[in-house]
Amino acid sequence: MNDMNPSWVTDEMRQAADNARRQGLQTDLRVLAARIRADAEGRYAGESAGWQAGVEWTLLYMENIAGGSTEGRS
C-alpha cells in the first residue's frame, strides 16, 4: 500500500480535494488583488500614468488567473 495514495481514496474524493485547493487559490488571489488595489488607490496619484497602468494590468492578470483556476471544472 502506498501511503501517499491510499486505495480507499476514491476518484471523487481526489476531485473534491483538487476543487477545494483551486477554490482556495482563487479566493487568495482575489483577496490579494483587492488588498493591492486598496493600498495603491490614491497613494501614487502624482506618479506617471504608466505606473498606474502597470498596477491595473497586474491586478487584471491576477483576476484572470483566479477566474481560470476553476474554469471548466465542476
Side-chain angles (χ1 to χ4, degrees), residues 13-71:
M13 293 169 77
R14 286 184 186 92
Q15 184 65 36
D18 185 50
N19 286 343
R21 276 192 296 272
R22 289 177 187 281
Q23 289 175 348
L25 174 61
Q26 183 181 50
T27 299
D28 290 348
L29 284 171
R30 288 190 168 144
V31 167
L32 178 59
R35 287 180 178 173
I36 291 170
R37 178 173 277 116
D39 192 46
E41 283 180 354
R43 178 181 280 207
Y44 302 102
E47 297 293 326
S48 67
W51 189 92
Q52 185 176 4
V55 170
E56 286 300 317
W57 181 90
T58 302
L59 295 174
L60 288 172
Y61 182 75
M62 290 172 69
E63 190 62 36
N64 286 337
I65 291 172
S69 69
T70 56
E71 198 171 277

Side-chain angles (χ1 to χ4, degrees), residues 5-18:
N5 195 10
S7 60
W8 57 268
V9 176
T10 65
D11 288 339
E12 291 82 18
M13 293 169 77
R14 286 184 186 92
Q15 184 65 36
D18 185 50

